[in-house]
Amino acid sequence: MIVGFLHRLSEKLPSVVHRLSVMMKPQVVFVLGGPGAGKGTQCVKIVENFSYTHLSAGDLLREERSRTGSEFGQLIDTYIKEGKIVPVEITINLLKKAMEKTMKADEKKFRFLIDGFPRNQDNLQGWNTVMDGKADVKFVLFFDCSNEVCIDRCLERGKSSGRTDDNRESLEKRIQTYLQSTRPIIEQYEKHGKVHKVDASRSVDEVFADVKNILEKEG
């Protein structure tokens, strides 16, 4: 009788584990900082060393912009060229789909670095409305860097990136947008003790040493 019970239990266990993993909500770290602060570079290093999946809001928007048949392509193109923030519904929809696709492909991948989002109050409200109860934001990883260092890095990157927004005129608009719209979001999370600030003006390895310490403490 006991043997039969254990056998039935062992048969059910995989499905129980599967149901638990399906119920597992995405664990999210928002990665914020000005253009050229090194968010993407650091995210690559985090993925190499920790069990996180990197989702760049900007990359997802650029992919959607160039995707054949995209209903949002032209709209996204105009916003990016003007250095403006793309409507929140589009960005959240792309992020949500990317997280769902990742977790469906591998149920162990439920930790996400969301890079370059939320960029303003509208983004944050949209996230809270759409993702309430569907994802847990652990903290904000804030890469702090002076405007001039950010601009120099982006201009250097623009020589090889092919990005239409890596030019001085677009960069100055993007930095103003960041200061006016994104910094208040970081300050909001700071009030709740949910921001880890890193001095991003240093070398990649020096910055990552701090990032590594933060992630090891956060678990």
Side-chain angles (χ1 to χ4, degrees):
M1 187 176 174
I2 292 172
V3 172
F5 171 74
L6 290 172
H7 179 67
R8 287 195 301 277
L9 184 63
S10 68
E11 284 181 332
K12 287 180 180 178
L13 198 56
S15 65
V16 171
V17 170
H18 177 70
R19 282 201 301 276
L20 283 171
S21 67
V22 167
M23 287 189 288
M24 176 69 75
K25 288 187 285 189
Q27 304 294 298
V28 172
V29 172
F30 287 144
V31 182
L32 296 175
K39 299 183 296 293
T41 301
Q42 291 300 321
C43 284
V44 169
K45 291 185 77 67
I46 292 168
V47 169
E48 286 170 356
N49 290 273
F50 296 90
S51 56
Y52 278 90
T53 298
H54 174 212
L55 297 177
S56 162
D59 285 351
L60 289 170
L61 287 166
R62 280 185 285 274
E63 283 167 21
E64 185 66 18
R65 176 178 60 167
S66 59
R67 187 174 64 82
T68 307
S70 167
E71 60 180 305
F72 303 120
Q74 187 59 51
L75 181 69
I76 293 169
D77 188 54
T78 303
Y79 273 88
I80 288 177
K81 280 181 180 171
E82 289 294 316
K84 293 179 182 174
I85 292 168
V86 174
V88 65
E89 296 82 6
I90 296 174
T91 308
I92 292 176
N93 183 47
L94 294 174
L95 287 167
K96 190 166 176 281
K97 282 201 299 191
M99 286 193 288
E100 286 169 354
K101 185 179 175 184
T102 301
M103 290 176 74
K104 191 175 179 182
D106 185 347
E107 59 198 30
K108 292 175 188 169
K109 291 190 172 180
F110 57 88
R111 293 186 180 90
F112 295 91
L113 300 164
I114 297 187
D115 163 12
F117 184 93
R119 291 189 176 221
N120 61 8
Q121 192 63 39
D122 185 46
N123 276 186
L124 184 57
Q125 284 172 351
W127 173 272
N128 290 339
T129 301
V130 176
M131 301 303 291
D132 183 41
K134 296 174 186 170
D136 291 328
V137 178
K138 294 172 71 181
F139 59 91
V140 171
L141 191 55
F142 170 35
F143 292 103
D144 191 24
C145 198
S146 74
N147 295 347
E148 206 47 52
V149 169
C150 285
I151 288 174
D152 288 345
R153 285 178 178 174
C154 286
L155 290 175
E156 189 59 37
R157 179 177 69 187
K159 293 174 184 176
S160 58
S161 71
R163 283 178 53 167
T164 56
D165 56 346
D166 275 345
N167 62 75
R168 186 167 283 276
E169 188 183 352
S170 281
L171 282 165
E172 285 173 357
K173 287 179 184 174
R174 286 164 64 199
I175 282 174
Q176 282 311 307
T177 301
Y178 161 72
L179 292 173
Q180 291 164 9
S181 304
T182 309
R183 282 302 288 262
I185 299 300
I186 296 166
E187 286 159 12
Q188 218 170 306
Y189 274 104
E190 266 178 329
K191 287 175 186 171
H192 296 96
K194 292 187 80 171
V195 172
H196 287 291
K197 181 176 173 180
V198 179
D199 175 4
S201 64
R202 300 166 297 161
S203 72
V204 170
D205 289 339
E206 285 174 315
V207 172
F208 185 65
D210 283 1
V211 170
K212 195 164 177 280
N213 286 337
I214 290 164
L215 293 176
E216 283 170 353
K217 283 174 189 169
E218 285 286 345

